[in-house]
PDB file of all heavy atoms in Angstrom:
ATOM      1  N   ALA L 177     -31.654   7.794 -14.552  1.00 92.00           N
ATOM      2  CA  ALA L 177     -31.999   7.529 -13.149  1.00 92.00           C
ATOM      3  C   ALA L 177     -31.127   8.372 -12.215  1.00 92.00           C
ATOM      4  O   ALA L 177     -31.624   8.918 -11.210  1.00 92.00           O
ATOM      5  CB  ALA L 177     -31.832   6.040 -12.839  1.00 92.00           C
ATOM      6  N   MET L 178     -29.836   8.488 -12.515  1.00 93.00           N
ATOM      7  CA  MET L 178     -28.953   9.317 -11.692  1.00 93.00           C
ATOM      8  C   MET L 178     -29.399  10.775 -11.707  1.00 93.00           C
ATOM      9  O   MET L 178     -29.366  11.461 -10.666  1.00 93.00           O
ATOM     10  CB  MET L 178     -27.505   9.199 -12.177  1.00 93.00           C
ATOM     11  CG  MET L 178     -26.802   7.926 -11.783  1.00 93.00           C
ATOM     12  SD  MET L 178     -24.990   8.054 -11.962  1.00 93.00           S
ATOM     13  CE  MET L 178     -24.845   8.443 -13.696  1.00 93.00           C
ATOM     14  N   LEU L 179     -29.824  11.256 -12.864  1.00 94.00           N
ATOM     15  CA  LEU L 179     -30.247  12.647 -12.964  1.00 94.00           C
ATOM     16  C   LEU L 179     -31.549  12.890 -12.202  1.00 94.00           C
ATOM     17  O   LEU L 179     -31.726  13.946 -11.586  1.00 94.00           O
ATOM     18  CB  LEU L 179     -30.412  13.043 -14.430  1.00 94.00           C
ATOM     19  CG  LEU L 179     -29.122  13.113 -15.249  1.00 94.00           C
ATOM     20  CD1 LEU L 179     -29.408  13.546 -16.673  1.00 94.00           C
ATOM     21  CD2 LEU L 179     -28.127  14.073 -14.599  1.00 94.00           C
ATOM     22  N   VAL L 180     -32.452  11.924 -12.235  1.00 95.00           N
ATOM     23  CA  VAL L 180     -33.698  12.064 -11.481  1.00 95.00           C
ATOM     24  C   VAL L 180     -33.402  12.153  -9.989  1.00 95.00           C
ATOM     25  O   VAL L 180     -33.962  13.008  -9.275  1.00 95.00           O
ATOM     26  CB  VAL L 180     -34.652  10.891 -11.788  1.00 95.00           C
ATOM     27  CG1 VAL L 180     -35.825  10.882 -10.812  1.00 95.00           C
ATOM     28  CG2 VAL L 180     -35.164  10.977 -13.216  1.00 95.00           C
ATOM     29  N   VAL L 181     -32.514  11.299  -9.503  1.00 95.00           N
ATOM     30  CA  VAL L 181     -32.142  11.330  -8.084  1.00 95.00           C
ATOM     31  C   VAL L 181     -31.445  12.638  -7.742  1.00 95.00           C
ATOM     32  O   VAL L 181     -31.723  13.264  -6.708  1.00 95.00           O
ATOM     33  CB  VAL L 181     -31.263  10.111  -7.742  1.00 95.00           C
ATOM     34  CG1 VAL L 181     -30.729  10.226  -6.310  1.00 95.00           C
ATOM     35  CG2 VAL L 181     -32.038   8.816  -7.914  1.00 95.00           C
ATOM     36  N   THR L 182     -30.526  13.056  -8.610  1.00 95.00           N
ATOM     37  CA  THR L 182     -29.761  14.291  -8.357  1.00 95.00           C
ATOM     38  C   THR L 182     -30.675  15.508  -8.279  1.00 95.00           C
ATOM     39  O   THR L 182     -30.617  16.295  -7.314  1.00 95.00           O
ATOM     40  CB  THR L 182     -28.717  14.495  -9.461  1.00 95.00           C
ATOM     41  OG1 THR L 182     -27.766  13.425  -9.431  1.00 95.00           O
ATOM     42  CG2 THR L 182     -27.989  15.818  -9.281  1.00 95.00           C
ATOM     43  N   TRP L 183     -31.527  15.686  -9.273  1.00 96.00           N
ATOM     44  CA  TRP L 183     -32.381  16.865  -9.285  1.00 96.00           C
ATOM     45  C   TRP L 183     -33.491  16.772  -8.247  1.00 96.00           C
ATOM     46  O   TRP L 183     -33.921  17.801  -7.698  1.00 96.00           O
ATOM     47  CB  TRP L 183     -32.967  17.064 -10.677  1.00 96.00           C
ATOM     48  CG  TRP L 183     -31.974  17.637 -11.644  1.00 96.00           C
ATOM     49  CD1 TRP L 183     -31.124  16.952 -12.461  1.00 96.00           C
ATOM     50  CD2 TRP L 183     -31.702  19.026 -11.840  1.00 96.00           C
ATOM     51  NE1 TRP L 183     -30.341  17.824 -13.176  1.00 96.00           N
ATOM     52  CE2 TRP L 183     -30.677  19.097 -12.827  1.00 96.00           C
ATOM     53  CE3 TRP L 183     -32.220  20.202 -11.322  1.00 96.00           C
ATOM     54  CZ2 TRP L 183     -30.167  20.317 -13.278  1.00 96.00           C
ATOM     55  CZ3 TRP L 183     -31.712  21.413 -11.773  1.00 96.00           C
ATOM     56  CH2 TRP L 183     -30.703  21.459 -12.731  1.00 96.00           C
ATOM     57  N   GLY L 184     -33.960  15.562  -7.952  1.00 96.00           N
ATOM     58  CA  GLY L 184     -34.956  15.413  -6.895  1.00 96.00           C
ATOM     59  C   GLY L 184     -34.403  15.789  -5.532  1.00 96.00           C
ATOM     60  O   GLY L 184     -35.045  16.520  -4.762  1.00 96.00           O
ATOM     61  N   ALA L 185     -33.195  15.296  -5.220  1.00 96.00           N
ATOM     62  CA  ALA L 185     -32.565  15.642  -3.944  1.00 96.00           C
ATOM     63  C   ALA L 185     -32.248  17.134  -3.870  1.00 96.00           C
ATOM     64  O   ALA L 185     -32.418  17.772  -2.818  1.00 96.00           O
ATOM     65  CB  ALA L 185     -31.295  14.813  -3.752  1.00 96.00           C
ATOM     66  N   SER L 186     -31.785  17.709  -4.969  1.00 95.00           N
ATOM     67  CA  SER L 186     -31.458  19.141  -4.986  1.00 95.00           C
ATOM     68  C   SER L 186     -32.706  19.996  -4.777  1.00 95.00           C
ATOM     69  O   SER L 186     -32.679  20.984  -4.030  1.00 95.00           O
ATOM     70  CB  SER L 186     -30.789  19.509  -6.310  1.00 95.00           C
ATOM     71  OG  SER L 186     -29.626  18.740  -6.523  1.00 95.00           O
ATOM     72  N   LEU L 187     -33.790  19.605  -5.426  1.00 95.00           N
ATOM     73  CA  LEU L 187     -35.042  20.343  -5.240  1.00 95.00           C
ATOM     74  C   LEU L 187     -35.523  20.246  -3.793  1.00 95.00           C
ATOM     75  O   LEU L 187     -36.019  21.229  -3.218  1.00 95.00           O
ATOM     76  CB  LEU L 187     -36.107  19.804  -6.191  1.00 95.00           C
ATOM     77  CG  LEU L 187     -37.470  20.499  -6.168  1.00 95.00           C
ATOM     78  CD1 LEU L 187     -37.326  21.962  -6.560  1.00 95.00           C
ATOM     79  CD2 LEU L 187     -38.455  19.801  -7.102  1.00 95.00           C
ATOM     80  N   GLY L 188     -35.362  19.074  -3.194  1.00 94.00           N
ATOM     81  CA  GLY L 188     -35.755  18.912  -1.795  1.00 94.00           C
ATOM     82  C   GLY L 188     -34.941  19.795  -0.870  1.00 94.00           C
ATOM     83  O   GLY L 188     -35.490  20.434   0.049  1.00 94.00           O
ATOM     84  N   LEU L 189     -33.622  19.871  -1.105  1.00 94.00           N
ATOM     85  CA  LEU L 189     -32.774  20.737  -0.280  1.00 94.00           C
ATOM     86  C   LEU L 189     -33.142  22.203  -0.462  1.00 94.00           C
ATOM     87  O   LEU L 189     -33.103  22.988   0.491  1.00 94.00           O
ATOM     88  CB  LEU L 189     -31.305  20.511  -0.639  1.00 94.00           C
ATOM     89  CG  LEU L 189     -30.704  19.155  -0.259  1.00 94.00           C
ATOM     90  CD1 LEU L 189     -29.283  19.023  -0.798  1.00 94.00           C
ATOM     91  CD2 LEU L 189     -30.714  18.963   1.259  1.00 94.00           C
ATOM     92  N   GLY L 190     -33.499  22.592  -1.684  1.00 93.00           N
ATOM     93  CA  GLY L 190     -33.871  23.981  -1.916  1.00 93.00           C
ATOM     94  C   GLY L 190     -35.211  24.361  -1.316  1.00 93.00           C
ATOM     95  O   GLY L 190     -35.430  25.521  -0.949  1.00 93.00           O
ATOM     96  N   LEU L 191     -36.103  23.383  -1.196  1.00 93.00           N
ATOM     97  CA  LEU L 191     -37.423  23.670  -0.637  1.00 93.00           C
ATOM     98  C   LEU L 191     -37.426  23.718   0.893  1.00 93.00           C
ATOM     99  O   LEU L 191     -38.376  24.252   1.478  1.00 93.00           O
ATOM    100  CB  LEU L 191     -38.428  22.609  -1.106  1.00 93.00           C
ATOM    101  CG  LEU L 191     -38.867  22.697  -2.572  1.00 93.00           C
ATOM    102  CD1 LEU L 191     -39.786  21.528  -2.913  1.00 93.00           C
ATOM    103  CD2 LEU L 191     -39.570  24.024  -2.855  1.00 93.00           C
ATOM    104  N   LEU L 192     -36.423  23.152   1.535  1.00 91.00           N
ATOM    105  CA  LEU L 192     -36.402  23.117   3.000  1.00 91.00           C
ATOM    106  C   LEU L 192     -36.534  24.503   3.632  1.00 91.00           C
ATOM    107  O   LEU L 192     -37.387  24.699   4.510  1.00 91.00           O
ATOM    108  CB  LEU L 192     -35.137  22.412   3.485  1.00 91.00           C
ATOM    109  CG  LEU L 192     -35.090  20.893   3.288  1.00 91.00           C
ATOM    110  CD1 LEU L 192     -33.753  20.332   3.775  1.00 91.00           C
ATOM    111  CD2 LEU L 192     -36.247  20.223   4.021  1.00 91.00           C
ATOM    112  N   PRO L 193     -35.709  25.494   3.232  1.00 89.00           N
ATOM    113  CA  PRO L 193     -35.896  26.823   3.843  1.00 89.00           C
ATOM    114  C   PRO L 193     -37.214  27.476   3.470  1.00 89.00           C
ATOM    115  O   PRO L 193     -37.791  28.218   4.271  1.00 89.00           O
ATOM    116  CB  PRO L 193     -34.692  27.624   3.320  1.00 89.00           C
ATOM    117  CG  PRO L 193     -34.263  26.916   2.096  1.00 89.00           C
ATOM    118  CD  PRO L 193     -34.569  25.474   2.308  1.00 89.00           C
ATOM    119  N   VAL L 194     -37.707  27.227   2.274  1.00 88.00           N
ATOM    120  CA  VAL L 194     -38.963  27.834   1.844  1.00 88.00           C
ATOM    121  C   VAL L 194     -40.141  27.253   2.613  1.00 88.00           C
ATOM    122  O   VAL L 194     -41.107  27.966   2.953  1.00 88.00           O
ATOM    123  CB  VAL L 194     -39.160  27.623   0.325  1.00 88.00           C
ATOM    124  CG1 VAL L 194     -40.485  28.238  -0.132  1.00 88.00           C
ATOM    125  CG2 VAL L 194     -37.997  28.236  -0.452  1.00 88.00           C
ATOM    126  N   LEU L 195     -40.079  25.961   2.936  1.00 88.00           N
ATOM    127  CA  LEU L 195     -41.179  25.296   3.636  1.00 88.00           C
ATOM    128  C   LEU L 195     -41.162  25.515   5.146  1.00 88.00           C
ATOM    129  O   LEU L 195     -42.050  25.021   5.840  1.00 88.00           O
ATOM    130  CB  LEU L 195     -41.146  23.796   3.323  1.00 88.00           C
ATOM    131  CG  LEU L 195     -41.403  23.413   1.859  1.00 88.00           C
ATOM    132  CD1 LEU L 195     -41.314  21.906   1.682  1.00 88.00           C
ATOM    133  CD2 LEU L 195     -42.757  23.929   1.392  1.00 88.00           C
ATOM    134  N   GLY L 196     -40.153  26.224   5.652  1.00 83.00           N
ATOM    135  CA  GLY L 196     -40.179  26.543   7.079  1.00 83.00           C
ATOM    136  C   GLY L 196     -38.875  26.376   7.819  1.00 83.00           C
ATOM    137  O   GLY L 196     -38.747  26.858   8.960  1.00 83.00           O
ATOM    138  N   TRP L 197     -37.893  25.681   7.238  1.00 87.00           N
ATOM    139  CA  TRP L 197     -36.625  25.503   7.949  1.00 87.00           C
ATOM    140  C   TRP L 197     -35.755  26.729   7.713  1.00 87.00           C
ATOM    141  O   TRP L 197     -34.770  26.700   7.003  1.00 87.00           O
ATOM    142  CB  TRP L 197     -35.923  24.240   7.479  1.00 87.00           C
ATOM    143  CG  TRP L 197     -34.895  23.751   8.475  1.00 87.00           C
ATOM    144  CD1 TRP L 197     -34.641  24.265   9.710  1.00 87.00           C
ATOM    145  CD2 TRP L 197     -33.993  22.646   8.321  1.00 87.00           C
ATOM    146  NE1 TRP L 197     -33.645  23.570  10.337  1.00 87.00           N
ATOM    147  CE2 TRP L 197     -33.233  22.560   9.505  1.00 87.00           C
ATOM    148  CE3 TRP L 197     -33.776  21.728   7.304  1.00 87.00           C
ATOM    149  CZ2 TRP L 197     -32.243  21.588   9.690  1.00 87.00           C
ATOM    150  CZ3 TRP L 197     -32.803  20.761   7.486  1.00 87.00           C
ATOM    151  CH2 TRP L 197     -32.046  20.692   8.664  1.00 87.00           C
ATOM    152  N   ASN L 198     -36.116  27.833   8.353  1.00 86.00           N
ATOM    153  CA  ASN L 198     -35.374  29.078   8.241  1.00 86.00           C
ATOM    154  C   ASN L 198     -35.413  29.790   9.579  1.00 86.00           C
ATOM    155  O   ASN L 198     -36.108  29.377  10.510  1.00 86.00           O
ATOM    156  CB  ASN L 198     -35.964  29.962   7.134  1.00 86.00           C
ATOM    157  CG  ASN L 198     -37.427  30.275   7.363  1.00 86.00           C
ATOM    158  OD1 ASN L 198     -37.787  31.020   8.275  1.00 86.00           O
ATOM    159  ND2 ASN L 198     -38.297  29.691   6.534  1.00 86.00           N
TER     160      ASN L 198
END
Side-chain angles (χ1 to χ4, degrees):
M178 283 197 301
L179 292 181
V180 169
V181 173
T182 296
W183 284 91
S186 302
L187 182 61
L189 291 174
L191 287 176
L192 288 178
V194 179
L195 295 179
W197 200 5
N198 58 70

